[in-house]
Amino acid sequence: MQYSKDEIQSVLVSNATIQARLDELCAQINRDYKGRELLLVCILKGAVTVFADVLRRIEIPCSIDFMALSSYGSSSKSSGVVRILKDLDHGIEGKDVLVIEDIVDSGMSMKYLFENLETRSPASVKLLALLDKPSRRRVDLKADYVGFTIPDEFVVGYGLDFAEKYRNLPDVCILSPKVYE
Ligand code: IMP
Ligand code: MG
């Protein structure tokens, strides 16, 4: 895809690279959960793309559910306030849950979510994050499955947005600072 230089500074992770990495990660997940059943939880909206790509690679019995948390609004900096906008449709008691998130930045959203999910007595809860920005971490949080560790750049595409735009781009791209400055 041809991107406008005014909006997109560069491609950080191409779609082909993402697909190859998901092959590896999902092979690992299929091994780790062999003989069990998985509940895959998609964190709306940013994770929809990676969620659909992961789902198609899961070879063990699974079901899906969706959750939405408050995040950035239209700025590129985290407010630190986390709220559940849409909860799961079903209980998770006794279930093996794999949460699928687009990116872990400060870690506050996932820290809050995991503390909340633990109170519902699941058999296990793990986190798959397509992207990880460890240099921005403000709380102690580690994803169990990480696609790519990236530098402190604001990225869009492959589900990730800036002010609800750019989710449709096939690649993970660095947003031109001109867009938000
Ligand atoms: P955290 O609570 O600071 O870890 O924020 C995580 C959420 O912020 C993610 O689910 C994204 O929605 C959003 N976010 C963080 N960094 C970026 C980015 O570089 N591009 C787009 N969204 C981001
Ligand atoms: Mg998100």
Side-chain angles (χ1 to χ4, degrees):
M1 188 160 165
Q2 194 60 43
Y3 298 120
S4 151
K5 270 280 164 202
D6 290 339
E7 295 179 287
I8 299 305
Q9 186 174 304
S10 57
V11 171
L12 183 63
V13 191
S14 74
N15 190 277
T17 305
I18 294 170
Q19 298 304 326
R21 180 69 181 131
L22 292 182
D23 282 343
E24 292 174 357
L25 279 184
C26 294
Q28 183 68 49
I29 291 166
N30 285 323
R31 281 195 296 275
D32 291 351
Y33 288 90
K34 196 169 180 203
R36 286 144 80 188
E37 262 190 59
L38 249 187
L39 172 64
L40 296 169
V41 171
C42 175
I43 305 302
L44 298 170
K45 306 169 193 166
V48 286
T49 318
V50 62
F51 181 79
D53 280 343
V54 166
L55 179 60
R56 281 174 282 194
R57 287 172 168 88
I58 298 299
E59 294 169 358
I60 56 174
C62 66
S63 53
I64 67 173
D65 208 338
F66 296 85
M67 211 163 175
L69 307 175
S70 65
S71 76
Y72 285 172
S74 53
S75 95
S76 60
K77 290 275 179 294
S78 178
S79 65
V81 179
V82 184
R83 218 153 39 92
I84 294 179
L85 302 177
K86 186 227 170 286
D87 208 337
L88 298 170
D89 288 341
H90 303 287
I92 59 171
E93 194 179 333
K95 299 208 164 146
D96 287 308
V97 179
L98 180 60
V99 173
I100 301 187
E101 172 63 313
D102 51 2
I103 185 166
V104 180
D105 188 46
S106 72
M108 295 179 71
S109 312
M110 285 305 104
K111 176 108 182 155
Y112 170 86
L113 179 69
F114 272 65
E115 283 170 5
N116 181 295
L117 293 179
E118 296 287 2
T119 67
R120 308 183 194 190
S121 311
S124 67
V125 205
K126 286 191 173 184
L127 175 62
L128 181 158
L130 174 72
L131 304 170
D132 187 13
K133 275 189 208 172
S135 62
R136 301 249 313 164
R137 206 67 99 253
R138 284 163 64 193
V139 293
D140 181 32
L141 187 116
K142 247 186 112 234
D144 301 280
Y145 304 96
V146 174
F148 303 91
T149 299
I150 64 167
D152 182 10
E153 302 276 6
F154 196 84
V155 289
V156 295
Y158 192 71
L160 291 110
D161 76 307
F162 173 69
E164 297 298 329
K165 269 186 83 179
Y166 310 110
R167 295 193 196 275
N168 57 310
L169 310 186
D171 311 293
V172 170
C173 302
I174 298 178
L175 187 64
S176 169
K178 272 183 274 181
V179 176
Y180 53 84
E181 267 164 9

